[in-house]
mmCIF file of all heavy atoms in Angstrom:
data_model
loop_
_atom_site.group_PDB
_atom_site.id
_atom_site.type_symbol
_atom_site.label_atom_id
_atom_site.label_comp_id
_atom_site.label_asym_id
_atom_site.label_seq_id
_atom_site.Cartn_x
_atom_site.Cartn_y
_atom_site.Cartn_z
ATOM 1 N N GLY Q 422 76.239 92.828 87.150
ATOM 2 C CA GLY Q 422 76.127 91.949 85.984
ATOM 3 C C GLY Q 422 75.618 92.745 84.791
ATOM 4 O O GLY Q 422 74.663 93.502 84.916
ATOM 5 N N ASN Q 423 76.242 92.570 83.649
ATOM 6 C CA ASN Q 423 75.922 93.415 82.508
ATOM 7 C C ASN Q 423 76.087 92.597 81.223
ATOM 8 O O ASN Q 423 77.215 92.202 80.884
ATOM 9 C CB ASN Q 423 76.889 94.608 82.517
ATOM 10 C CG ASN Q 423 76.600 95.601 81.422
ATOM 11 O OD1 ASN Q 423 75.731 95.409 80.594
ATOM 12 N ND2 ASN Q 423 77.367 96.682 81.424
ATOM 13 N N LEU Q 424 74.983 92.383 80.513
ATOM 14 C CA LEU Q 424 75.070 91.568 79.294
ATOM 15 C C LEU Q 424 75.856 92.258 78.186
ATOM 16 O O LEU Q 424 76.333 91.596 77.259
ATOM 17 C CB LEU Q 424 73.666 91.190 78.814
ATOM 18 C CG LEU Q 424 72.953 90.181 79.726
ATOM 19 C CD1 LEU Q 424 71.561 89.864 79.196
ATOM 20 C CD2 LEU Q 424 73.763 88.893 79.878
ATOM 21 N N ALA Q 425 76.027 93.577 78.297
ATOM 22 C CA ALA Q 425 76.854 94.277 77.302
ATOM 23 C C ALA Q 425 78.298 93.777 77.341
ATOM 24 O O ALA Q 425 79.025 93.875 76.355
ATOM 25 C CB ALA Q 425 76.808 95.784 77.551
ATOM 26 N N ASN Q 426 78.701 93.199 78.477
ATOM 27 C CA ASN Q 426 80.061 92.650 78.581
ATOM 28 C C ASN Q 426 80.251 91.448 77.651
ATOM 29 O O ASN Q 426 81.378 91.036 77.399
ATOM 30 C CB ASN Q 426 80.352 92.175 80.017
ATOM 31 C CG ASN Q 426 80.261 93.283 81.038
ATOM 32 O OD1 ASN Q 426 79.985 94.418 80.681
ATOM 33 N ND2 ASN Q 426 80.477 92.952 82.306
ATOM 34 N N LEU Q 427 79.134 90.871 77.200
ATOM 35 C CA LEU Q 427 79.202 89.647 76.390
ATOM 36 C C LEU Q 427 78.671 89.875 74.975
ATOM 37 O O LEU Q 427 78.381 88.924 74.251
ATOM 38 C CB LEU Q 427 78.408 88.536 77.088
ATOM 39 C CG LEU Q 427 79.036 88.131 78.418
ATOM 40 C CD1 LEU Q 427 77.972 87.727 79.424
ATOM 41 C CD2 LEU Q 427 80.042 87.013 78.218
ATOM 42 N N LYS Q 428 78.565 91.147 74.623
ATOM 43 C CA LYS Q 428 78.008 91.516 73.316
ATOM 44 C C LYS Q 428 78.717 90.767 72.200
ATOM 45 O O LYS Q 428 79.943 90.670 72.193
ATOM 46 C CB LYS Q 428 78.187 93.020 73.114
ATOM 47 C CG LYS Q 428 77.109 93.647 72.322
ATOM 48 C CD LYS Q 428 77.208 95.138 72.408
ATOM 49 C CE LYS Q 428 76.453 95.742 71.235
ATOM 50 N NZ LYS Q 428 76.770 97.135 71.064
ATOM 51 N N GLY Q 429 77.955 90.250 71.247
ATOM 52 C CA GLY Q 429 78.561 89.527 70.134
ATOM 53 C C GLY Q 429 78.410 88.024 70.313
ATOM 54 O O GLY Q 429 78.399 87.268 69.351
ATOM 55 N N LEU Q 430 78.262 87.574 71.570
ATOM 56 C CA LEU Q 430 78.169 86.123 71.800
ATOM 57 C C LEU Q 430 76.737 85.601 71.637
ATOM 58 O O LEU Q 430 76.534 84.388 71.561
ATOM 59 C CB LEU Q 430 78.673 85.769 73.200
ATOM 60 C CG LEU Q 430 80.191 85.773 73.399
ATOM 61 C CD1 LEU Q 430 80.534 85.341 74.809
ATOM 62 C CD2 LEU Q 430 80.872 84.843 72.395
ATOM 63 N N GLU Q 431 75.767 86.544 71.579
ATOM 64 C CA GLU Q 431 74.348 86.111 71.514
ATOM 65 C C GLU Q 431 74.123 85.166 70.328
ATOM 66 O O GLU Q 431 73.308 84.256 70.391
ATOM 67 C CB GLU Q 431 73.401 87.302 71.352
ATOM 68 C CG GLU Q 431 73.525 88.395 72.389
ATOM 69 C CD GLU Q 431 74.564 89.451 72.008
ATOM 70 O OE1 GLU Q 431 75.373 89.209 71.087
ATOM 71 O OE2 GLU Q 431 74.557 90.519 72.661
ATOM 72 N N SER Q 432 74.863 85.379 69.232
ATOM 73 C CA SER Q 432 74.625 84.583 68.022
ATOM 74 C C SER Q 432 75.519 83.336 67.974
ATOM 75 O O SER Q 432 75.448 82.565 67.012
ATOM 76 C CB SER Q 432 74.892 85.454 66.795
ATOM 77 O OG SER Q 432 76.190 85.997 66.917
ATOM 78 N N ASP Q 433 76.337 83.120 68.988
ATOM 79 C CA ASP Q 433 77.232 81.954 69.017
ATOM 80 C C ASP Q 433 76.466 80.779 69.626
ATOM 81 O O ASP Q 433 76.041 80.847 70.786
ATOM 82 C CB ASP Q 433 78.462 82.307 69.873
ATOM 83 C CG ASP Q 433 79.549 81.241 69.800
ATOM 84 O OD1 ASP Q 433 79.211 80.043 69.647
ATOM 85 O OD2 ASP Q 433 80.723 81.595 69.920
ATOM 86 N N ASP Q 434 76.283 79.693 68.858
ATOM 87 C CA ASP Q 434 75.441 78.613 69.398
ATOM 88 C C ASP Q 434 76.160 77.776 70.462
ATOM 89 O O ASP Q 434 75.585 76.846 71.025
ATOM 90 C CB ASP Q 434 74.823 77.744 68.292
ATOM 91 C CG ASP Q 434 75.865 77.140 67.397
ATOM 92 O OD1 ASP Q 434 77.055 77.171 67.784
ATOM 93 O OD2 ASP Q 434 75.512 76.644 66.310
ATOM 94 N N ARG Q 435 77.416 78.144 70.765
ATOM 95 C CA ARG Q 435 78.106 77.462 71.879
ATOM 96 C C ARG Q 435 77.840 78.166 73.201
ATOM 97 O O ARG Q 435 78.319 77.732 74.257
ATOM 98 C CB ARG Q 435 79.626 77.443 71.622
ATOM 99 C CG ARG Q 435 80.017 76.683 70.364
ATOM 100 C CD ARG Q 435 81.479 76.886 70.070
ATOM 101 N NE ARG Q 435 81.795 78.296 69.952
ATOM 102 C CZ ARG Q 435 82.983 78.838 70.232
ATOM 103 N NH1 ARG Q 435 83.964 78.089 70.651
ATOM 104 N NH2 ARG Q 435 83.187 80.136 70.092
ATOM 105 N N TYR Q 436 77.090 79.284 73.132
ATOM 106 C CA TYR Q 436 76.869 80.105 74.327
ATOM 107 C C TYR Q 436 75.389 80.297 74.593
ATOM 108 O O TYR Q 436 74.601 80.484 73.662
ATOM 109 C CB TYR Q 436 77.532 81.474 74.113
ATOM 110 C CG TYR Q 436 77.169 82.484 75.179
ATOM 111 C CD1 TYR Q 436 77.767 82.440 76.432
ATOM 112 C CD2 TYR Q 436 76.212 83.476 74.940
ATOM 113 C CE1 TYR Q 436 77.419 83.366 77.415
ATOM 114 C CE2 TYR Q 436 75.857 84.389 75.916
ATOM 115 C CZ TYR Q 436 76.466 84.332 77.150
ATOM 116 O OH TYR Q 436 76.116 85.232 78.115
ATOM 117 N N ARG Q 437 75.033 80.264 75.869
ATOM 118 C CA ARG Q 437 73.647 80.474 76.260
ATOM 119 C C ARG Q 437 73.605 81.234 77.576
ATOM 120 O O ARG Q 437 74.426 80.964 78.460
ATOM 121 C CB ARG Q 437 73.024 79.100 76.465
ATOM 122 C CG ARG Q 437 71.574 79.132 76.368
ATOM 123 C CD ARG Q 437 70.959 77.775 76.215
ATOM 124 N NE ARG Q 437 69.630 77.982 76.745
ATOM 125 C CZ ARG Q 437 69.029 77.227 77.608
ATOM 126 N NH1 ARG Q 437 69.581 76.120 78.008
ATOM 127 N NH2 ARG Q 437 67.836 77.539 78.048
ATOM 128 N N PHE Q 438 72.651 82.173 77.690
ATOM 129 C CA PHE Q 438 72.509 82.909 78.948
ATOM 130 C C PHE Q 438 71.204 82.530 79.630
ATOM 131 O O PHE Q 438 70.153 82.467 78.993
ATOM 132 C CB PHE Q 438 72.527 84.425 78.690
ATOM 133 C CG PHE Q 438 72.203 85.200 79.932
ATOM 134 C CD1 PHE Q 438 73.109 85.253 80.983
ATOM 135 C CD2 PHE Q 438 70.968 85.830 80.088
ATOM 136 C CE1 PHE Q 438 72.801 85.935 82.155
ATOM 137 C CE2 PHE Q 438 70.651 86.513 81.258
ATOM 138 C CZ PHE Q 438 71.578 86.564 82.292
ATOM 139 N N ILE Q 439 71.266 82.282 80.925
ATOM 140 C CA ILE Q 439 70.057 82.044 81.719
ATOM 141 C C ILE Q 439 70.106 82.955 82.939
ATOM 142 O O ILE Q 439 71.103 82.952 83.679
ATOM 143 C CB ILE Q 439 69.961 80.567 82.183
ATOM 144 C CG1 ILE Q 439 69.916 79.626 80.978
ATOM 145 C CG2 ILE Q 439 68.741 80.356 83.077
ATOM 146 C CD1 ILE Q 439 69.988 78.139 81.341
ATOM 147 N N ARG Q 440 69.015 83.716 83.131
ATOM 148 C CA ARG Q 440 68.993 84.578 84.320
ATOM 149 C C ARG Q 440 68.500 83.775 85.518
ATOM 150 O O ARG Q 440 67.374 83.272 85.498
ATOM 151 C CB ARG Q 440 68.079 85.783 84.088
ATOM 152 C CG ARG Q 440 68.237 86.809 85.197
ATOM 153 C CD ARG Q 440 67.348 88.008 84.997
ATOM 154 N NE ARG Q 440 67.810 89.135 85.821
ATOM 155 C CZ ARG Q 440 67.224 90.311 85.853
ATOM 156 N NH1 ARG Q 440 66.175 90.554 85.104
ATOM 157 N NH2 ARG Q 440 67.704 91.270 86.619
#
Side-chain angles (χ1 to χ4, degrees):
N423 183 356
L424 290 179
N426 299 0
L427 295 147
K428 212 168 160 194
L430 284 183
E431 305 88 346
S432 54
D433 188 328
D434 57 14
R435 298 171 304 151
Y436 170 78
R437 201 165 155 228
F438 172 70
I439 300 173
R440 190 180 198 180

